[in-house]
Amino acid sequence: MADAALRLQNLFEQLLGAPLPVRIRAWDGSQSGPPGAPALVVRNRRALRRLLFKPGELGLARAWVAGDLDIDGDLYAALDLMAGLVWERGEDARGLVEALRDPEVRAAVRGLVKLAGPPLPPAPPPEEVRRVRGHLHTKRSDKRAISHHYDVGNDFYELVLGPSMVYSCAYWPAPPSEGGTLETAQRDKLELVSRKLDLSPGQRLLDVGCGWGSMAIHAAREHGVHVVGVTLSQEQAAYARKRVADEGLTDRVEIRVQDYRDVVDGPYDAISSIGMAEHVGAERYLEYATDLHKLLKPGGRLLNHQIARRPQQDEGAYHVDEFIDAYVFPDGELAPVGTTVTQLERAGFEVRDVESIREHYALTLRRWVANLESDWATALRLVSPGRARVWRLYMAASALSFERNRIGVNQVLAVKTPASGTSGLPLRSRVWGAPGPA
């Protein structure tokens, strides 16, 4: 009798202490759960063994990446339903020991063990980062982490990001027009950064974490500045250099494979850091801010574009998301925007503007997911199925996190204000709303 889905539903609800918001479809063809809801497809018993040996997010991630788990139906709806259950309960895998004191929970775990079959732990998927002992955020460990994320093939990134090759949040019109393209919104973001930095011909710009060269090319072509772009990714650098040559900008743009800590040819008039600071780490952030401050001339500007998390009551309890750390951004850390501002100020900067563009990132991520899903067959030729599944899950889940205000993204404009106190900024940097009646 095919009843694995019903048994799983009952066991999961015992463990969660709440109704399961999605359907279950099991390997024996059985289904159970709310009619019309997206289905969590449990393709084999190995998925259960992954959950038993690594309870919580990492076990789920391994099962997803390996293809042992899937979702049939609206991916966003399924993730939203399951994430909502976790957030409402306010629990994670660290609460498992406490939960196991409940006899019903212990009985549910025994039921899962019986249903899972022989108790052999499956090997992690090959896409999972292999940990190397040592300190975090050294130059060597950062280079390994960057390589894991970015050196997966430029063709794959072209498929996901589109022609702009900008791997950070775009800047959409308000409201986003139906005809608005990702490429236009990314161009508008690069121009927004350029205007905040007040770029002008002949200036020197340092682009930290330059990616595939989009900001460097835009700044040189549209504003006549001389740009040094630094990245730790060999693949990014090769791609960016070719783009620079194709644009005829080799006299104004230099792309280096270099750690920002090794840049010593300041001073620069301006520095852009777009989507890079998330890799720095809390322990190194003041060093990062201080290094950039030293590289600027007096009156120079920094535009720091960075994802932020919500602050916690106990900041010491913060831990990096297990899925992201194991499969997406090894050693990446998020900080509240207030912490970022404080560290920039401690380094000597005057913070002049903080603009949250959280909703813009949700819109951008949904476009990236659509790009990936619309050409899934090509993606599977460019990378492993597991790698493609990692990207689909992380981008869709991230879009929901931005939409639900679980994470945000901010552009922080800071100035190396000289002793005279002259910041060089206009008295009215931004205009809010429409002018009132005279």
Side-chain angles (χ1 to χ4, degrees):
M1 181 177 179
D3 64 350
L6 180 59
R7 292 171 66 187
L8 283 173
Q9 181 189 354
N10 292 335
L11 290 169
F12 285 152
E13 289 181 349
Q14 280 182 271
L15 288 169
L16 295 169
L20 197 65
V22 296
R23 289 182 64 77
I24 295 284
R25 183 183 301 160
W27 60 88
D28 62 354
S30 60
Q31 296 189 51
S32 185
L40 180 66
V41 182
V42 185
R43 297 196 182 281
N44 50 55
R45 298 174 189 267
R46 187 170 56 247
L48 305 184
R49 293 198 290 276
R50 292 190 186 279
L51 290 172
L52 288 167
F53 280 96
K54 280 292 181 183
E57 187 174 335
L58 187 56
L60 283 167
R62 286 176 171 175
W64 172 271
V65 175
D68 301 328
L69 282 181
D70 206 345
I71 289 173
D72 185 11
D74 189 316
L75 176 63
Y76 293 102
L79 293 175
D80 209 16
L81 288 168
M82 291 189 288
L85 181 63
V86 172
W87 277 76
E88 287 170 12
R89 289 168 58 81
E91 296 177 5
D92 56 27
R94 293 174 298 171
L96 182 63
V97 173
E98 183 68 28
L100 285 173
R101 295 176 181 174
D102 187 327
E104 288 190 7
V105 172
R106 290 201 301 271
V109 172
R110 286 194 296 271
L112 278 176
V113 169
K114 184 176 180 181
L115 192 57
L120 295 175
E127 292 79 12
E128 186 169 316
V129 67
R130 298 296 182 260
R131 294 294 176 189
V132 178
R133 290 185 179 181
H135 295 291
L136 294 180
H137 301 296
T138 64
K139 292 178 184 179
R140 179 177 295 181
S141 68
D142 281 352
K143 190 173 182 65
R144 281 196 302 265
I146 293 298
S147 179
H148 174 87
H149 186 74
Y150 293 103
D151 292 340
V152 298
N154 292 327
D155 290 344
F156 178 73
Y157 275 99
E158 283 183 338
L159 184 152
V160 174
L161 303 179
S164 68
M165 287 299 281
V166 180
Y167 185 38
S168 57
C169 135
Y171 195 60
W172 300 88
S177 61
E178 292 184 5
T181 67
L182 176 61
E183 288 65 46
T184 299
Q186 289 291 16
R187 183 196 64 205
D188 288 349
K189 190 274 299 298
L190 299 177
E191 182 59 21
L192 176 68
V193 172
S194 299
R195 286 189 281 111
K196 287 183 176 181
L197 290 173
D198 195 26
L199 298 180
S200 60
Q203 288 185 331
R204 296 185 76 212
L205 168 69
L206 174 64
D207 187 25
V208 180
C210 66
W212 292 272
S214 299
M215 177 64 200
I217 290 169
H218 180 89
R221 184 183 60 213
E222 304 298 329
H223 297 274
V225 301
H226 295 270
V227 188
V228 171
V230 296
T231 175
L232 294 178
S233 167
Q234 294 283 353
E235 290 195 21
Q236 282 187 333
Y239 188 99
R241 287 167 182 156
K242 184 179 185 305
R243 292 179 73 193
V244 169
D246 290 346
E247 291 276 350
L249 294 171
T250 53
D251 60 330
R252 277 185 275 168
V253 178
E254 178 188 1
I255 303 295
R256 304 174 184 168
V257 178
Q258 186 177 35
D259 192 291
Y260 71 91
R261 288 165 282 197
D262 293 330
V263 177
V264 294
D265 59 344
Y268 288 87
D269 297 280
I271 298 176
S272 54
S273 178
I274 307 173
M276 176 271 174
E278 297 88 341
H279 298 286
V280 171
E283 291 186 5
R284 297 281 188 178
Y285 204 92
L286 181 58
E287 177 187 355
Y288 159 81
T290 301
D291 284 350
L292 299 191
H293 187 268
K294 290 177 181 177
L295 286 167
L296 278 172
K297 72 172 189 179
R301 300 184 187 183
L302 165 69
L303 193 287
N304 192 78
H305 175 119
Q306 182 178 341
I307 298 172
R309 61 176 171 85
R310 302 293 297 169
Q312 298 184 359
Q313 291 295 326
D314 178 10
E315 279 293 313
Y318 168 69
H319 65 286
V320 179
D321 181 286
E322 288 185 305
F323 167 63
I324 299 294
D325 191 44
Y327 289 99
V328 187
F329 292 108
D331 304 336
E333 297 178 46
L334 300 183
V337 64
T339 301
T340 297
V341 168
T342 296
Q343 295 289 63
L344 291 171
E345 289 182 329
R346 287 182 64 195
F349 282 105
E350 180 188 9
V351 172
R352 295 299 304 244
D353 186 76
V354 179
E355 182 178 6
S356 172
I357 51 176
R358 173 175 62 82
E359 294 88 347
H360 294 258
Y361 220 151
L363 292 166
T364 305
L365 283 156
R366 283 183 176 263
R367 295 296 181 98
W368 290 344
V369 172
N371 286 346
L372 178 60
E373 291 180 337
S374 67
D375 206 355
W376 186 253
T378 300
L380 296 183
R381 290 197 298 270
L382 298 174
V383 295
S384 67
R387 180 68 61 196
R389 291 171 65 81
V390 165
W391 278 75
R392 183 170 178 245
L393 177 62
Y394 124 74
M395 292 192 298
S398 296
L400 289 169
S401 291
F402 281 108
E403 288 169 359
R404 301 295 181 262
N405 192 27
R406 292 168 187 154
I407 55 177
V409 62
N410 305 280
Q411 289 193 347
V412 180
L413 178 63
V415 180
K416 185 176 181 176
T417 304
S420 66
T422 304
S423 69
L425 271 78
L427 289 177
R428 293 190 179 187
S429 300
R430 281 200 263 157
V431 178
W432 293 94

